Amino acid sequence: MKPAVLFLTLLSPLFASLLLAALAALRERMPREKTSFRLISTGLLLSLLGNLVFLIRGISRGLPPDLDLGGWLTAGSYEIPLVFHADRVGIAFGFLSALLTLLIAQFSKTYLHRESGFVRFFLLLGLFASGTQVVAYSGSFDLFFAGWEMIGIASTLFIGFFHERTEPLRSSIRAFVTYRLCDAGLLLAIVALHEWLGSTRLTALNDINHLSTEQATLLAALFMLAACGKSAQLPFSGWLARATEGPAPTSALFYGGISIHVGLFLLLRIWPIIDLSPIIEYGGAALGLLTALYASRVARTLPDAKGILAHASLAQVGLIFAEISLGLTTLALFHLMTHGVLRVWQYLRTPNVIHDTHRLGHLHGGSLPETTRPATRLEKQLYLLGLRQFGMDALMDHCVRWALGIATWLRKLDIKLTPFLRSRT
Amino acid sequence: MTHEPTRLLVLLFSLQSLALSTSRGHLLAPAKLAKALLLTIVLLLDHPGLQLLLLAIIPFCSSSAFGKRSELIYITATGIPLLASAAAHTLGWQEEAFFLSLVVLILKSGAWPLHFLMAPVAQDSPARLASTLSTLLPLVLIHLQHLDHLPIAQHLADALVRVGALSTLAAALLALRAATLTEFFRNAVSMHGGMLVMTLGAAGNGHYGAALFATVTLCLSTAGLGAMSESLMERQGDLPLSQNHGFMKSYPRLAAFFLFFGAAGVGLPGTAGFVADDLLLHALWQESVWGTAAAILASALLAIATWITSTRLLMGTPSHSRSPDITLGERSLALICALTLVALGLAPQVLMRPANQLLGTPL
């Protein structure tokens, strides 16, 4: 792996974003749409070319060796390694991400024309693109976490993109709460991995036979918690439908194409640990299947196209989750790639499909034909449960309220602790 | 006098923190210059007793020190134990000096529930609070270099981590429920204070470099956030967080820096905060797994509180304001601090290598 190609792949979108940010900060006027688009799309194109180099090299001469640039930070026995790894899973995910992000950039140039947040959109797109590339090619979990966080931040900011309205802001807070709380699992798993295996490098997973079953179960559970948050698995599915508040191209890229699959990519990376713990293996499969069932039922009750698509994505992601948990990793990778491409296309086509449906409806001389068979009792009950999202949102809200209750009690105590010093003299 | 690189770096960061906490137009005020000069002397001297003595005196240079009863109480409460610590060190009573210095560090950091002295100081001015923190960094360095190698530090390590973990969690939860901008800032400082207590616990077992790095990050990000909060308060007063104010359009640069410093304090990748969190968590794991989990959870809660506060202050229906965005001077200081945080995040060895040489590395 040549460092120049690697850094081009990883960092060119980020540098493009930083350059755009500097232009916006230094000049009185915002950069023009054409300048913003050209700058970011150049960064994305370079990243795609870098991925192509890895792909062609991987096919023709075998996978490139790891690139080890030593320790980013060393203190005693502790080290944050600066190491990059390109295997078939990483190259496939990196290439898919780079390709879809570039296509979305091209689409958004017209879609967001004259939108007030045009520059902000492209700036965040560069950040997201670099985040996905860091995740794809990181050779250590510390670097992986950095990329993972970049994706989370970009996702949150995209959900709250139309920040003048209250609802997107609420949705962004909900998504951020889910991300951060589940990321705590990833962070704890990384620290535990370092302490138990002596390193956070991916190659350290070759020594996982030294772990006890309890340690492997705990590690796999923590990694799975993080994956559940990012990939919206039960019980953290509530944020996904709300996340489509952002611009349509980002919904396509994040909740159809890439971001929702990042949790699955993490599971593919840590599959050897899952394999050591039968509880997590079968538990993960059950969770994935339950999420698929949940999403398919909820999708039938939703009135909006984006919400239905989000839940259709969730159902497929649940299936991939189950596939990985059961060890069908090659099938899962293939499923992930094809699902990502299909779903991006569907999200981008949605406005036209709605338009076409309305036209077809008019051509038929009314609305589309409806079924005449009366619903059974079970169907009615399932519909009602789906309408209430099986109480999942209410459950999460209850948990949040409970935590906020403690905070409120603490605040009352805090106010009582300090009143006599608050007065001015 | 010494030219040891760690001390010079700490001096640089302390001065940055002090400059950031100075509201616009008062950068060259005599009190501030005197404080900067004393900080320089403290960090260039090589006599712990004298250094502690000077650090006890420095807060009294603040021009506002005698304007408020609360601030005077705060300065006295932290100053007297520090004077006692200086005296104990000079007399060779090392354990007493360590204990007194530790008490001052905990009080100064504002760790919950010992934040009751600091709370009123922060009530009207986040920058004033950030200013009091500028003396924290040299004190941590002196504590780590001269006092934290004693056996008592190792004995207290576990207790400090546990107390710090509880304190961090409580402050993070309080930040979630903050009703105003100053309340949020005070709780954010308090949460970082709890982290500092945990850091000192980890340092008890030899993680000196990690402790210093975490403190530098804490001071710089807090000073940055304090400066931006102060700038916003100067323009709009202490804003309630019960509604969205939408100041992003009126103050885009202030908004960008507010978001940056808020995120850097909770581990934004590419900044010193990310490295500090990583270092601290690894150091804490060796003391207590539950402490590590509490620190991670508290950091997540503070990140959520920061995002909620940012959305309330900056987003929503745009508010049109006649007051200008942050001035060139404020912008320059904030930019220097932000670049320092990024530089330390990308090249942490710049501080860690000399710090490990000066203070020693963990086994």
Side-chain angles (χ1 to χ4, degrees):
Chain A
M1 209 191 291
K2 286 185 178 168
V5 180
L6 182 81
F7 287 127
L8 200 71
T9 312
L10 261 59
L11 298 177
S12 52
L14 185 64
F15 279 133
S17 276
L18 290 176
L19 201 58
L20 187 59
L23 277 178
L26 295 174
R27 292 162 59 172
E28 284 304 311
R29 286 181 59 201
M30 277 291 183
R32 286 164 49 199
E33 285 191 3
K34 201 184 272 182
T35 315
S36 310
F37 169 71
R38 281 188 181 164
L39 206 55
I40 298 297
S41 58
T42 307
L44 295 176
L45 186 65
L46 289 173
S47 178
L48 180 63
L49 288 175
N51 272 289
L52 259 178
V53 171
F54 290 140
L55 189 66
I56 292 167
R57 193 197 184 282
I59 293 168
S60 62
R61 287 193 283 159
L63 294 168
D66 285 5
L67 178 68
D68 194 341
L69 299 173
W72 181 10
L73 175 68
T74 314
S77 63
Y78 174 62
E79 179 202 39
I80 302 179
L82 201 56
V83 59
F84 298 93
H85 177 75
D87 59 354
R88 67 184 182 114
V89 182
I91 293 175
F93 190 74
F95 180 75
L96 178 77
S97 308
L99 181 68
L100 291 182
T101 314
L102 184 63
L103 287 175
I104 290 292
Q106 189 65 37
F107 180 89
S108 308
K109 180 187 150 194
T110 319
Y111 190 87
L112 290 170
H113 179 52
R114 293 198 173 177
E115 190 73 54
S116 62
F118 190 94
V119 176
R120 189 158 36 98
F121 177 90
F122 278 92
L123 204 140
L124 289 175
L125 201 62
L127 175 74
F128 168 74
S130 274
T132 52
Q133 296 306 316
V134 171
V135 161
Y137 292 110
S138 60
S140 79
F141 283 102
D142 296 298
L143 281 182
F144 185 96
F145 187 69
W148 178 276
E149 287 287 283
M150 284 161 77
I151 294 172
I153 291 165
S155 172
T156 305
L157 292 172
F158 269 128
I159 297 170
F161 187 79
F162 299 112
H163 59 85
E164 291 87 0
R165 290 192 281 123
T166 315
E167 208 47 49
L169 290 178
R170 278 194 193 148
S171 302
S172 79
I173 290 172
R174 195 179 188 97
F176 191 67
V177 170
T178 312
Y179 280 164
R180 286 303 305 201
L181 292 180
C182 294
D183 290 357
L186 180 57
L187 202 49
L188 197 56
I190 293 170
V191 180
L193 198 69
H194 180 270
E195 297 304 322
W196 290 337
L197 294 179
S199 172
T200 55
R201 289 165 189 260
L202 292 184
T203 48
L205 296 185
N206 298 332
D207 301 326
I208 51 166
N209 289 329
H210 299 153
L211 293 177
S212 65
T213 311
E214 291 78 21
Q215 286 176 329
T217 304
L218 181 64
L219 268 181
L222 290 170
F223 277 122
M224 206 163 256
L225 172 69
C228 283
K230 208 63 138 196
S231 292
Q233 298 299 290
L234 287 178
F236 307 109
S237 308
W239 65 267
L240 185 67
R242 293 180 175 88
T244 51
E245 293 276 1
T250 58
S251 300
L253 189 62
F254 281 74
Y255 316 114
I258 306 299
S259 181
I260 197 167
H261 293 121
V262 174
L264 304 174
F265 181 76
L266 171 66
L267 292 188
L268 284 171
R269 277 271 179 257
I270 57 122
W271 156 243
I273 304 176
I274 297 176
D275 197 27
L276 284 180
S277 169
I279 299 172
I280 298 296
E281 217 173 343
Y282 295 116
L287 190 67
L289 291 174
L290 270 175
T291 307
L293 279 172
Y294 159 87
S296 63
R297 288 311 312 179
V298 173
R300 285 157 202 256
T301 65
L302 293 172
D304 63 307
K306 267 181 147 185
I308 293 168
L309 264 180
H311 281 85
S313 290
L314 188 56
Q316 291 298 321
V317 169
L319 290 178
I320 304 171
F321 202 91
E323 286 162 13
I324 299 171
S325 300
L326 292 173
L328 307 168
T329 48
T330 308
L331 172 68
L333 182 63
F334 186 73
H335 194 165
L336 185 158
M337 302 274 291
T338 47
H339 175 246
V341 175
L342 171 77
R343 208 57 79 184
V344 166
W345 177 78
Q346 283 185 330
Y347 263 107
L348 296 181
R349 273 283 295 158
T350 307
N352 286 345
V353 169
I354 294 169
H355 181 254
D356 291 350
T357 310
H358 282 296
R359 264 190 66 206
L360 277 173
H362 288 305
L363 284 175
H364 283 289
S367 58
L368 289 171
E370 289 175 15
T371 177
T372 50
R373 183 178 66 82
T376 63
R377 197 175 162 193
L378 180 68
E379 282 175 331
K380 279 180 189 168
Q381 279 178 344
L382 279 174
Y383 184 84
L384 280 173
L385 281 171
L387 209 56
R388 294 180 198 130
Q389 293 172 327
F390 290 83
M392 281 298 147
D393 268 16
L395 176 74
M396 297 310 287
D397 288 346
H398 180 74
C399 293
V400 171
R401 267 199 301 276
W402 181 77
L404 287 178
I406 298 175
T408 309
W409 178 81
L410 272 173
R411 187 165 179 267
K412 282 179 186 163
L413 183 70
D414 188 53
I415 290 169
K416 279 182 186 166
L417 264 176
T418 53
F420 76 101
L421 283 169
R422 283 170 193 273
S423 60
R424 296 176 79 103
T425 52
Chain B
M1 292 294 246
T2 179
H3 298 290
E4 205 283 320
T6 313
R7 292 197 192 189
L8 295 179
L9 283 169
V10 167
L11 173 62
L12 180 73
F13 302 140
S14 301
L15 291 180
Q16 265 191 41
S17 172
L18 181 66
L20 261 174
S21 62
T22 309
S23 58
R24 54 189 171 150
H26 299 104
L27 196 60
L28 297 175
K32 292 286 170 191
L33 286 177
K35 197 169 178 178
L37 185 68
L38 284 172
L39 274 176
T40 311
I41 295 169
V42 165
L43 283 160
L44 293 182
L45 275 177
D46 203 9
H47 188 291
L50 204 53
Q51 285 172 301
L52 289 171
L53 180 73
L54 282 173
L55 279 175
I57 296 167
I58 286 176
F60 290 99
C61 292
S62 167
S63 58
S64 61
F66 303 98
K68 287 177 77 180
R69 181 183 66 178
S70 54
E71 196 160 348
L72 189 60
I73 291 172
Y74 174 72
I75 291 170
T76 314
T78 54
I80 289 173
L82 204 51
L83 283 171
S85 177
H89 188 273
T90 311
L91 293 170
W93 301 340
Q94 297 301 320
E95 287 198 354
E96 287 76 5
F98 163 83
F99 188 73
L100 287 163
S101 161
L102 187 65
V103 167
V104 176
L105 278 172
I106 294 171
L107 283 175
K108 263 189 180 291
S109 68
W112 194 90
L114 297 174
H115 67 306
F116 61 88
L117 283 170
M118 183 195 79
V121 181
Q123 201 58 28
D124 297 324
S125 167
R128 194 176 296 157
L129 176 58
S131 167
T132 62
L133 290 180
S134 64
T135 52
L136 187 70
L137 198 45
L139 183 56
V140 168
L141 180 64
I142 295 164
H143 183 86
L144 292 176
Q145 191 183 353
H146 298 289
L147 303 170
D148 214 38
H149 292 70
L150 301 171
I152 191 177
Q154 207 172 354
H155 292 313
L156 280 177
D158 191 40
L160 282 176
V161 169
R162 281 165 199 268
V163 170
L166 281 175
S167 167
T168 312
L169 265 179
L173 279 168
L174 279 167
L176 270 179
R177 265 295 184 223
T180 59
L181 172 58
T182 40
E183 195 179 334
F184 162 74
F185 179 71
R186 174 162 57 86
N187 290 319
V189 173
S190 202
M191 182 272 183
H192 283 125
M195 283 281 194
L196 181 74
V197 176
M198 294 176 93
T199 304
L200 292 171
N205 274 345
H207 296 278
Y208 306 113
L212 186 66
F213 197 95
T215 314
V216 166
T217 309
L218 179 162
C219 284
L220 288 180
S221 58
T222 306
L225 192 65
M228 291 307 111
S229 304
E230 181 82 15
S231 297
L232 194 54
M233 279 177 64
E234 276 177 356
R235 287 159 177 81
Q236 299 294 336
D238 190 10
L239 295 159
L241 300 179
S242 52
Q243 66 192 76
N244 291 325
H245 297 285
F247 286 121
M248 194 189 264
K249 285 234 160 105
S250 303
Y251 314 126
R253 292 179 180 93
L254 191 154
F257 280 119
F258 187 93
L259 280 169
F260 176 83
F261 288 121
V266 289
L268 177 71
T271 66
F274 183 77
V275 181
D277 274 10
D278 216 18
L279 269 172
L280 185 58
L281 293 175
H282 284 283
L284 286 177
W285 181 277
Q286 290 166 12
E287 295 299 329
S288 155
V289 176
W290 291 111
T292 315
I296 291 173
L297 186 59
S299 182
L301 290 175
L302 185 65
I304 293 166
T306 306
W307 177 242
I308 292 173
T309 306
S310 304
T311 56
R312 295 278 189 269
L313 295 175
L314 309 171
M315 298 171 195
T317 312
S319 300
H320 296 289
S321 167
R322 286 185 181 176
S323 50
D325 201 352
I326 46 174
T327 60
L328 188 63
E330 288 172 303
R331 218 184 303 166
S332 308
L333 286 172
L335 188 65
I336 291 168
C337 185
L339 288 176
T340 308
L341 282 168
V342 171
L344 279 177
L346 297 179
Q349 293 290 44
V350 170
L351 176 63
M352 283 300 285
R353 197 172 288 135
N356 283 333
Q357 278 172 5
L358 179 72
L359 306 170
T361 52
L363 296 173

